[in-house]
Amino acid sequence: MSRRGWKGRAGRLSVGMAAAGATRAAYEELRRRPPVEARMWQRSNYAGRGVELYGGLAAAAGAATAMGTARGLTVRSRIAAVGAALAAGACGAYDDQVGSPDERGFGAHFKALREGRFTSGVVKLLGIGAAGLAAGTLLKVRPLDQLLGGVVIAGTAHAVNLVDISPGRAAKAVIAVGAPGLLRRGPAGVLAAAPVGAAAAVLGDDLSERTMLGDGGAHALGAALGAAIVVANGRTGLLLHAAVLIAMTAAGDRISAHERLWKAPGVRHVDSWGRVAHPYG
């Protein structure tokens, strides 16, 4: 490998390590000094165990910090990626705080909107959609590519949140999808390193059920990963990614809870790796 190639790989590695370090620092600080009141960030998970949401807030902050300080990015790509991650994370955190578990999925939110109720899910949908479109406008030149970029960023944010129903699943998804991007040279590899490093930093605590990403963390990491995908792809790639993400959105919660999908050979092994085994299921 050429000296330039080694330098590029080292640069991407340093961004991932910076994201991981910033995430861990933020996580420990949030646990010591919870924002507002600690009870706001406490939840019960699928097994009825108490967990907190600091991991998601920390991952959002860590990924944004790494992208904001990384070398090799233009001002436009830096603003786009950091802005999309923070906006998506803020919208997700808002839904974490005021959202109702009885109103899940686009259908429920659109129904509420028709009834004159502006749910947190609608705020999240519009906010992340607008942030994705703004980021796509900064990252691409032609209008169609800008629109597709917005769809990919917002769609990736939603897709990561869609699978965040079991410990570690969303973090593993970010790592699995983002890791190949680390092989790319230039801004795409740099941007991919940030969400991968941030997700890796909280994976252990997520699997151990001490913390969870929540909507805030899942949407932030997804938006950051989406920005890396947009930078890495031309129109054909954007079209393919957008089509897959739209299909996932249409499938909605069926993907989240589809037992046959998550118990498929290979998928089940990776999905369950490191997770705490409960005697009651």
Side-chain angles (χ1 to χ4, degrees):
M1 180 179 293
S2 66
R3 183 176 179 180
R4 184 176 180 180
W6 280 112
K7 186 176 180 180
R9 179 174 293 181
R12 295 189 291 274
L13 179 61
S14 68
V15 173
M17 292 177 65
T23 297
R24 291 306 304 181
Y27 181 55
E28 296 302 331
E29 181 63 22
L30 286 166
R31 295 186 69 189
R32 284 194 299 268
R33 300 178 181 178
V36 192
E37 297 181 29
R39 64 180 179 83
M40 292 176 58
W41 310 100
Q42 305 298 320
R43 296 291 185 275
S44 293
N45 67 1
Y46 74 108
R49 296 185 60 176
V51 297
E52 29 84 344
L53 296 170
Y54 303 139
L57 299 178
T65 299
M67 293 186 296
T69 58
R71 295 181 178 181
L73 298 178
T74 65
V75 174
R76 291 173 67 90
S77 60
R78 195 184 307 276
I79 292 174
V82 173
L86 291 180
C91 290
Y94 175 74
D95 194 39
D96 282 330
Q97 292 302 319
V98 305
S100 170
D102 297 327
E103 292 181 323
R104 294 181 57 87
F106 288 125
H109 296 306
F110 283 128
K111 179 181 178 182
L113 193 60
R114 288 195 299 270
E115 295 172 352
R117 294 185 293 114
F118 207 68
T119 67
S120 61
V122 173
V123 173
K124 187 170 63 175
L125 174 64
L126 297 179
I128 296 176
L133 184 58
T137 300
L138 288 171
L139 293 173
K140 294 297 181 181
V141 177
R142 297 183 177 179
L144 179 56
D145 295 336
Q146 292 172 339
L147 176 60
L148 290 171
V151 171
V152 169
I153 292 171
T156 306
H158 176 66
V160 173
N161 187 59
L162 197 63
V163 301
D164 188 31
I165 62 167
S166 294
R169 182 177 289 175
K172 289 177 184 177
V174 170
I175 294 170
V177 175
L182 300 180
L183 301 177
R184 289 184 175 273
R185 297 179 179 179
V190 172
L191 290 176
V196 169
V202 295
L203 178 59
D205 293 273
D206 195 347
L207 288 169
S208 300
E209 300 182 27
R210 289 188 290 270
T211 193
M212 60 188 293
L213 289 179
D215 279 21
H219 279 107
L221 292 180
L225 183 59
I229 293 171
V230 171
V231 171
N233 285 273
R235 182 168 298 176
T236 300
L238 290 175
L239 281 167
L240 291 173
H241 280 92
V244 171
L245 291 165
I246 290 172
M248 290 182 66
T249 300
D253 290 339
R254 285 175 291 178
I255 290 178
S256 302
H258 199 307
E259 289 298 317
R260 186 174 298 177
L261 170 64
W262 297 108
K263 290 184 178 181
V267 175
R268 180 178 182 178
H269 177 75
V270 175
D271 182 49
S272 62
W273 173 83
R275 192 173 294 154
V276 175
H278 296 286
Y280 41 82

